[in-house]
Amino acid sequence: MVSTLVVLYVGIVAAVGLIYAAGPERLMWGGVLLFLPQVILALPGLVLLPFALWRARHLSWLLVAALLLIAGPLMGLSWNSHQTTDGIPLRVMTYNIQLWQRRNVPAILKEILAADPDVLCLQDARDAKSTALSTYLENRNVAMFGQYVFVSKFPIVDSTVGDISYDGETHTYLRARIDVGGTEVVIFNAHFVTPRDALSPLRSPALWRLGMSEMRQNQSQRMRQARQLVEDSRGITGPLIVAGDLNAPPASLVTRMLTDRGLVDAFSAAGRGYGYTFGHTLLVGRPFLRLDRILASRHLTPVRARVGGSSGSDHRPVIVDMVLPARSRGE
């Protein structure tokens, strides 16, 4: 009996791994599982492990391998050494500050001041200048539109509003060009459609069928937004950064569209740990999803990436130290 359960469990974990490798949104269940705490997958294995060691020791290594697969690739573990390279340093921070929670503005400002980014990309930041953030904004170069705010220590050459609308819903992103030591770096500040509304009906058995339909539509909307973002970046041959609340974990097809464009996820390349940015208000104070992301083109080298604190917003900020190498300038 124990042997059968071990083989069944290992088979399920292997199947999940294959679904993630192929692109989780290709299957409805994969798309749902993508937004759940991945540690849930490990719980049955942890319960089985002592029984396997007792009654099916010859299969226990399979169980341990499955648990390592979950704790590593499936949960998105990164473990990189901090790099050093010559060039112009650039610290980029992305932060969904959910400014409608006005009581949290002091904590948000504390996070920003502690990170001291060269370039700050804010989402859900409407009317930021009417809050305690105004003094901070006054001392830097700023570009704003709707929910988006760019704050830069470097000169902002220009900014452009991009269109990532879907199904009749108007949705935008903000693109800016900044002058970093004589080299123009293009930064996209984006906030893709949230999966929250699509996932909510899944909690009710009576609405399950409706929820599955909404989830499929929601996944399609987010992928269309990513596809449009990639299309808008086609003509950019120099340094490019995509930052924001992408509402897409690293394993998603949304991420794959961006990495296929030649962008590298900065935390995966230079971070340590899981880098989770969302969920700490839902799961006993611990985040379980990496939705807020910074991706960069080959012209920039991420050397260190980390996640900030949780006191300011439902989203933790992402802070990445990059270097613009000499060979990238003027390309």
Side-chain angles (χ1 to χ4, degrees):
M1 178 66 175
V2 174
S3 297
T4 301
L5 290 175
V6 168
V7 171
L8 179 61
Y9 173 75
V10 171
I12 291 172
V13 172
V16 171
L18 290 173
I19 290 171
Y20 277 24
E25 295 97 332
R26 298 185 195 280
L27 292 176
M28 179 52 57
W29 286 107
V32 173
L33 184 61
L34 191 64
F35 290 97
L36 298 180
Q38 302 301 293
V39 71
I40 290 175
L41 291 170
L43 297 181
L46 293 172
V47 172
L48 270 176
L49 186 58
F51 293 98
L53 292 171
W54 177 36
R55 301 297 299 270
R57 187 177 294 271
H58 63 293
L59 293 177
S60 59
W61 69 272
L62 279 175
L63 197 53
V64 171
L67 290 171
L68 290 175
L69 176 64
I70 295 168
L74 296 189
M75 291 180 64
L77 178 66
S78 296
W79 198 262
N80 302 282
S81 59
H82 294 155
Q83 305 178 49
T84 57
T85 186
D86 295 330
I88 300 177
L90 180 66
R91 175 170 291 181
V92 181
M93 179 178 185
T94 184
Y95 199 3
N96 181 340
I97 60 175
Q98 297 189 327
L99 202 51
W100 45 271
Q101 301 184 64
R102 292 301 178 97
R103 68 183 185 279
N104 292 340
V105 170
I108 291 168
L109 184 58
K110 184 177 179 180
E111 284 283 348
I112 294 171
L113 292 175
D116 190 25
D118 297 312
V119 177
L120 172 64
C121 300
L122 298 178
Q123 306 88 43
D124 270 351
R126 289 178 178 86
D127 300 321
K129 284 191 172 180
S130 65
T131 70
L133 294 170
S134 60
T135 302
Y136 174 81
L137 298 176
E138 287 171 1
N139 298 324
R140 285 166 174 78
N141 303 300
V142 177
M144 307 175 70
F145 180 82
Q147 66 165 303
Y148 301 109
V149 177
F150 270 115
V151 188
S152 175
K153 293 181 181 179
F154 296 99
I156 297 177
V157 178
D158 64 30
S159 61
T160 307
V161 178
D163 184 16
I164 46 173
S165 300
Y166 56 88
D167 296 343
E169 293 286 335
T170 301
H171 206 94
T172 61
Y173 69 91
L174 187 59
R175 180 169 72 241
R177 289 189 298 146
I178 63 172
D179 184 344
V180 181
T183 297
E184 286 190 359
V185 178
V186 181
I187 306 178
F188 286 47
N189 185 359
H191 186 183
F192 288 172
V193 60
T194 177
R196 185 183 294 111
D197 294 340
L199 288 169
S200 295
L202 299 179
R203 301 173 185 173
S204 170
L207 296 176
W208 185 262
R209 184 173 300 176
L210 173 63
M212 296 298 276
S213 174
E214 286 194 1
M215 189 65 194
R216 184 177 291 107
Q217 182 182 26
N218 178 262
Q219 292 168 0
S220 174
Q221 291 167 346
R222 198 156 36 254
M223 286 190 284
R224 288 207 300 275
Q225 289 183 307
R227 191 176 297 112
Q228 185 59 55
L229 208 67
V230 169
E231 186 61 31
D232 288 355
S233 74
R234 291 292 183 197
I236 299 171
T237 58
L240 170 65
I241 296 171
V242 173
D245 178 5
L246 303 185
N247 277 308
S252 70
L253 288 175
V254 168
T255 298
R256 196 165 301 180
M257 288 181 187
L258 297 172
T259 55
D260 285 349
R261 163 40 179 104
L263 301 177
V264 173
D265 180 273
F267 191 90
S268 296
R272 290 184 177 180
Y274 293 105
Y276 295 151
T277 65
F278 182 78
H280 55 269
T281 60
L282 306 175
L283 186 68
V284 293
R286 304 300 302 176
F288 59 88
L289 288 169
R290 180 143 66 96
L291 303 182
D292 302 86
R293 318 281 296 286
I294 295 176
L295 298 98
S297 66
R298 60 180 178 80
H299 308 84
L300 293 146
T301 303
V303 295
R304 186 171 183 264
R306 61 186 176 89
V307 173
S310 61
S311 59
S313 168
D314 284 355
H315 290 255
R316 297 187 180 206
V318 180
I319 304 102
V320 176
D321 290 318
M322 304 182 187
V323 172
L324 181 62
R327 61 179 172 78
S328 295
R329 300 176 205 173
E331 287 187 11

